[in-house]
Amino acid sequence: MRHLIATAALALLATTTTMNAMEKKIIRISTEQTDLVLQVAENGRLYQSYLGEKLLNEADLQELSWDVHAASDGSVTRRGWEVYSGSGNEEYFEPALAVTHNDGNPSTWLYYVSSSSHAVEGGTQTDIVLRDDKYPVEVTLHYVAYPKENVIKTWSDISHQEKKPLVLSTYASTMLYFNRPSYYLTEFSSDWAKEAQMSSQQLQFGKKVIDTKLGSRAAMHTHPFFIVGLNQPAHEQQGEVLMGTLAWTGNFRFIFEVDNVGNLRVIPGINPYASAYKLKRGEVFTTPEFIFTLSTNGTGQGSRNLQAWARNYQLKDGKGSRLTLLNNWENTGFNFNQDILAKLMKEAKDLGVDMFLLDDGWFGNKYPRKDDRAGLGDWEVTHDKLPGGIRALTEAAQEAGVKFGLWIEPEMVNPKSELFEKHPEWVIHYPNRDTYYYRNQLVLDLSNPVVQDYVYGIVDKLLTENPDIAYFKWDCNSPITNIYSPYLKEEQGQLYIDHVRGVYNVLKRVKENYPNVPMMLCSGGGARCDYEALKYFTEFWCSDNTDPVERIYIQWGFSQFFPAKAMCAHVTSWNRAASVKFRTDVASMCKLGFDMGLKDLSADDLLYCQRAVANWKRLQTVILDGTQYRLVSPYESNHMAVSYVSADCSKAVLFAYDIHPRYQEKLQTVRLQGLDPHKRYKVEEINLMPDSKSSLSANGKVFSGDYLMKVGINVFTFHSMQSRVVEFTEVE
Ligand code: DGJ
């Protein structure tokens, strides 16, 4: 059988080679701005011959060739730039794929077999089949190019027909190559309350690896996205940048390798750490999607590409509206009862938000959830705390005139729970070592289908019994701490991967059966923020750090890859030195919510918040669906400014913040972007404190879009933690 397949592959190879004698076999994957050109070489293998700004002339594609290597003796060998490089060949650098075959041979050489393309929503999908000539191993590369948004999404399928399982030790989603004078990587490091911190460095010879092996709360220390400045450090408004992100809610790895001749290869994929994967005959191993854009106008344009793409095709309900809310976590913690919650629901209504969101602490009876040490896993309402159950809460919400949302953390268990007592075998932990706990909890073994059913059942039961639950906040506070699955037994190499697949199985069922329930993805703050999870979630919680100063940086970081619509921001009591206005204005540049005791607010502050909520709702479509322009970076100044412009350019909103300006520093004028130069706009400062007037010199005046973009307006001050929200409205 193996022989037959190999012969078939060789026959196809011969066809390809003959065709190449006349004309090179070229596969062009293009958007309106970018070309990724692949080419079958005389040896029958597939190479990347170009990735860059779109080429004007189709004929020029024939002129492209992949990298060649000149040896010191003058001989030239073709090597490098193989699109999905296998191992054990003439390639000296990091491969995409490493396989151990049934006979122990560790080499894989992939030859081009066929390619085809077809239309998909928003773009064109190209599928390219590659096959080893000696072993029945096949890889299909998939690319979806979205022309309008200038985004390419790519992933790979690996399969084989060998008798016994073969072992995959490396299985990247794709490989991309660049030949530029220099490369500068921007990474996004993270920790609890310190998410999306941007830092940059020049890449030199060798490898830089960004990876995580935390399993469930996988992005706690680094996020699954990066920026590479090509030829110069990444800039907001100019220069060529690659911006890439892996759609995987588990361990990921990005390798950036600069080789001996100064070329860069970028290899995104699942982190194969402790995950030698035994692939069965006929099974298809599908890698996560890697999504990237190549912008020649800096990161600002790159972000706009990704934000538009996400809203159009990837984010759950990407085109829909979002619910403003009042959460109780920062306000009450675990200390609440039915009366307290009913009062908060009335406060939510008074504030003008759409929903009240009940956080952690509502469940568990044998082991009530009165702190984070007990109860996770037992999703029954605590009867003596909430005697009327969820029903009484949804009714109270209805009475107050708001929707009701609920916090759950269904993938986790406290050892102090009835679930753990009944099913210790459902939990990831060692049979023979001391258990290490993170936040006093453990992770349920989602590689086990029975556990998947249980987790899905939590949501299903809650929604069946309480169809008025309008929203879930789905938390995940622990990484996988004791990496052993009682279910997988001797196949532990599958755990990190099968666990994430199990999470997706559950989420798919939730989405299929309850398509209209919006959900917030949360992971002890923003430790889950990837585009596979966001197929199932309408938004994510960026950080538990709601100090508005810190949030300016955190939201700036996440905005590189996500639309404001996906980013939850709440007004809380973190940093009481900042005014309520400043805190609210910082949250208003994303999906707005509140999490504070409103009775502690002064009458002015409360009135301010009510008006700010009303303004946000009125401008929601501009902020969440408009085009975002990051105008002034907090990393480069003591201020920050960002604006949103509606699709028809008739409306814009500018958010401007003074963080901690220096004494008499030079205040820069903010020049708008994305307006219509020929339109005239009335400038109006909104979100003013009651009884105060705007001190903005431009307030109430009318300017052309051209003036606003070329000359700009003065919105910054010398005062710490001040903010301005300015509305621009087209006038006749
Ligand atoms: C971590 C989340 O980030 C918080 O917002 C809150 O929901 C707590 N978990 C509850 O335990």
Side-chain angles (χ1 to χ4, degrees), residues 329 334 359-360 369 407 439 473 475 477 522-525 541 544:
W329 174 247
F334 294 97
D359 215 284
D360 195 355
R369 178 81 171 164
W407 178 97
R439 209 196 191 206
K473 173 178 178 183
D475 209 343
N477 281 289
C522 173
S523 184
W541 181 231
D544 280 350

